[in-house]
Amino acid sequence: MREKVLPADFGIIGLRVMGRNLALNIEEHGFCVAVWNRTTQITEQFVAENRGKRLIETKSLEELVKAVKRPRRIMMMIEAGPPVDLVIGQLRPLLERGDILIDGGNSWFKDTQRRSAELTRDGINYFGSGVSGGELGARFGPSLMPGGPREAWEHLRPIFEAIAAKTESGPCVTHVGPDGAGHFVKMMHNGIEYGDMQLIAEAYDILRKALGLEAGELSETFANWNSGALESFLMELTAHVFHVRDKETGRPLVDLVLDKASQKGTGKWAVQAGMELDVPIPTIAAATDARLISSMRAERIEAAKMIKGPTQQRYTGDKAELLDAVRSMLLASKICSYAQGMSLIRAGSAFYRWGVDLKQIARIWKGGCIIRARLLDTIMRAYDRQPDLVNPLLDDELAAEVAAAQPGWRAAVQLAQGLGIPVPAAGASLAYFDSYRCDSLPQNLTQAQRDAFGAHTYERKDHPERGHLHTEWEDLFDESASEG
């Protein structure tokens, strides 16, 4: 007699690498999972490869919905954009009030807000949840950033806390806030990731071009740096990448990788959100631009034949001194990048009334995700001391770290620019730092120009009570000229 299959605790739609790994992760933590993929053969193959596990194969969305116990918890792991709307349209008449539908892809947070509002009218709880950590994270413990109705979160919590990465600070998941909050935070995670990766690339570029370091020594250098304040997944990964050799040629594999970095859009979205919310994130913007210009490889090759830079190509000073300076540049720039990201999350939370807890965001990024780093402990302490901290650069502990790194940071950026080595993200971080700490910026001239050519008005610093003023600058210029 065939054993009756019990109703599933959870449903997964989409069985690409992330979807299948999440399904296995959930199943291994004691839950029965119903799975569906648009291509039936993929579903059949996945279940066949994992016989003996509590996986329920379904051949249609209707069958999937019927297989999951109420309130249903169903997660879409599919491509962002129109495919999500298509699947929601097919699911909507099948779901019932109180059911929970989760988008685990990298969707634009405003799409998540729209979908949430539409499904709420039907009594369906919609979550946009960032999932970070790549395929290994999905399989063994990701960082999860769910945003959706607070009351429905209690139905998701047991599963999400079970499958999330664990650190001494707890499972790397929290209820981020309502509607688009989860996807906004994931977007900013990816923006900080862009900044981190570009800053590491710039440090590498200085070391290979100015000092002539090769893969073996680069691997050792990044491994050493990873033992201190710069400790992070990306630093560890970088040291490993330099260590790998190509099986065909025996050369370091990284030296054979084409210098064209692609992107999926979250970096651009972060920059767009910064512009819309009037929050500067120049390090993340520079990192995004760096990927764009790297994609212009054919154009760059032609430009290199025609446009010449500095004649000096190598650093002639003390090697240890430059290594320390580049390390300082990397640390201080990284702090600025995180500060920008956290500031934008704070602004987004205030504007959309999400109530995001920034300490909790730092906590859930400590494990599972791509930007996990020792720095996040320092950021957590900063928000412990001051939960309403406007910018992490204003925290005494972080300010002290930047102050200690500042001489080397400036020296490394100056050297790179003098040798013609591009450091867009490190340079942007330094400019952000200098602008943020400056009590007198030259935008008084900018605003005077705007008023002179477009009557955009200005405010007087000696008489703020007068409000917005306009001056006929040309008339005054004529008077001044005649007096002279």
Side-chain angles (χ1 to χ4, degrees), residues 4 23 25 99 102 148 207 236 243 247 263 267 280 296 399 406 457-458:
K4 183 179 179 181
N25 187 356
D99 286 346
I102 310 137
L207 298 185
E236 179 184 1
H243 189 70
K247 292 181 179 179
Q263 55 186 311
M296 300 162 54
Q406 193 175 158
T457 75
Y458 62 92

Side-chain angles (χ1 to χ4, degrees), residues 23-89:
L24 292 173
N25 187 356
I26 294 168
E27 192 277 338
E28 281 189 1
H29 283 87
F31 303 99
C32 179
V33 185
V35 295
W36 178 82
N37 194 82
R38 184 176 59 180
T39 304
T40 303
Q41 184 180 357
I42 291 176
T43 311
E44 293 172 347
Q45 183 180 350
F46 173 66
V47 174
E49 289 171 352
N50 293 281
R51 291 198 183 281
K53 295 186 181 294
R54 288 160 293 184
L55 299 172
I56 299 176
E57 173 190 330
T58 64
K59 300 185 184 302
S60 68
L61 285 175
E62 184 175 8
E63 193 175 324
L64 175 89
V65 169
K66 288 181 178 179
V68 181
K69 66 179 68 169
R70 296 203 63 206
R72 299 180 181 92
R73 295 167 289 193
I74 297 174
M75 190 167 189
M76 299 177 290
M77 295 301 297
I78 59 179
E79 184 181 350
V84 176
D85 287 312
L86 177 64
V87 172
I88 289 175

Side-chain angles (χ1 to χ4, degrees), residues 21 23 32 102 148 199 202 280 321 347 353 400 444 448-449:
N21 281 357
C32 179
I102 310 137
L199 290 168
E202 291 172 17
E321 189 176 301
R353 300 180 181 179
N444 57 319
Q449 291 170 327

Side-chain angles (χ1 to χ4, degrees), residues 12-24 35 46 77 138:
I12 291 282
I13 295 172
L15 292 174
R16 292 183 180 180
V17 175
M18 291 292 286
R20 65 174 56 213
N21 281 357
L22 272 176
L24 292 173
V35 295
F46 173 66
M77 295 301 297

Side-chain angles (χ1 to χ4, degrees), residues 183-475:
H183 274 145
F184 188 95
V185 167
K186 178 56 163 63
M187 173 189 74
M188 289 318 303
H189 166 283
N190 287 20
I192 293 171
E193 177 186 315
Y194 273 52
D196 257 7
M197 294 177 73
Q198 178 60 27
L199 290 168
I200 290 171
E202 291 172 17
Y204 151 65
D205 210 21
I206 294 173
L207 298 185
R208 68 168 176 162
K209 290 178 179 175
L211 285 178
L213 299 193
E214 296 186 355
E217 197 168 0
L218 286 165
S219 180
E220 183 180 347
T221 298
F222 279 88
N224 288 338
W225 286 351
N226 190 50
S227 64
L230 281 169
E231 180 185 345
S232 70
F233 167 73
L234 282 171
M235 291 294 286
E236 179 184 1
L237 179 70
T238 301
H240 177 71
V241 165
F242 285 127
H243 189 70
V244 174
R245 293 197 168 262
D246 174 46
K247 292 181 179 179
E248 293 181 32
T249 65
R251 295 173 58 190
L253 182 56
V254 67
D255 292 345
L256 302 174
V257 175
L258 196 67
D259 58 331
K260 288 175 63 175
S262 58
Q263 55 186 311
K264 292 185 176 180
T266 47
K268 293 180 185 178
W269 290 346
V271 175
Q272 181 180 337
M275 295 294 288
E276 290 179 350
L277 291 166
D278 296 326
V279 178
I281 52 169
T283 307
I284 296 168
T288 306
D289 286 343
R291 293 197 189 190
L292 292 175
I293 201 167
S294 78
S295 69
M296 300 162 54
R297 191 168 189 274
E299 192 173 336
R300 287 189 289 110
I301 289 172
E302 289 304 309
K305 297 173 184 177
M306 301 174 60
I307 306 172
K308 301 303 175 185
T311 55
Q312 182 182 347
Q313 300 295 313
R314 289 290 179 93
Y315 173 69
T316 57
D318 182 81
K319 177 181 176 181
E321 189 176 301
L322 180 56
L323 284 169
D324 188 58
V326 173
R327 178 192 170 281
S328 294
M329 178 194 81
L330 191 49
L331 177 60
S333 298
K334 181 188 180 83
I335 291 171
C336 284
S337 182
Y338 276 74
Q340 293 163 32
M342 299 305 276
S343 295
L344 185 47
I345 293 174
R346 182 180 185 274
S349 176
F351 184 82
Y352 294 109
R353 300 180 181 179
W354 286 328
V356 178
D357 185 332
L358 293 174
K359 178 190 172 183
Q360 288 300 308
I361 300 307
R363 182 188 68 77
I364 67 172
W365 286 348
K366 285 180 58 178
C369 70
I370 303 301
I371 65 170
R372 57 187 185 266
R374 180 182 292 190
L375 174 60
L376 289 161
D377 283 311
T378 314
I379 293 174
M380 280 182 67
R381 290 194 295 272
Y383 287 113
D384 254 339
R385 286 185 286 268
Q386 189 176 343
D388 61 346
L389 184 65
V390 175
N391 186 307
L393 289 177
L394 299 175
D395 174 71
D396 288 344
E397 186 179 358
L398 285 163
E401 288 203 44
V402 174
Q406 193 175 158
W409 183 17
R410 294 186 184 281
V413 170
Q414 183 177 6
L415 172 78
Q417 292 175 337
L419 295 178
I421 300 170
V423 284
S429 288
L430 184 54
Y432 172 80
F433 173 77
D434 281 338
S435 296
Y436 192 66
R437 68 174 184 81
C438 189
D439 63 358
S440 178
L441 290 170
Q443 274 63 50
N444 57 319
L445 175 59
T446 304
Q447 195 61 23
Q449 291 170 327
R450 294 183 74 242
D451 188 54
F453 70 66
H456 293 292
T457 75
Y458 62 92
E459 296 172 83
R460 290 181 65 114
K461 57 185 176 183
D462 58 343
H463 288 291
E465 75 280 359
R466 295 182 185 176
H468 292 271
L469 307 172
H470 168 60
T471 295
E472 295 295 336
W473 295 81
E474 289 188 6
D475 293 345

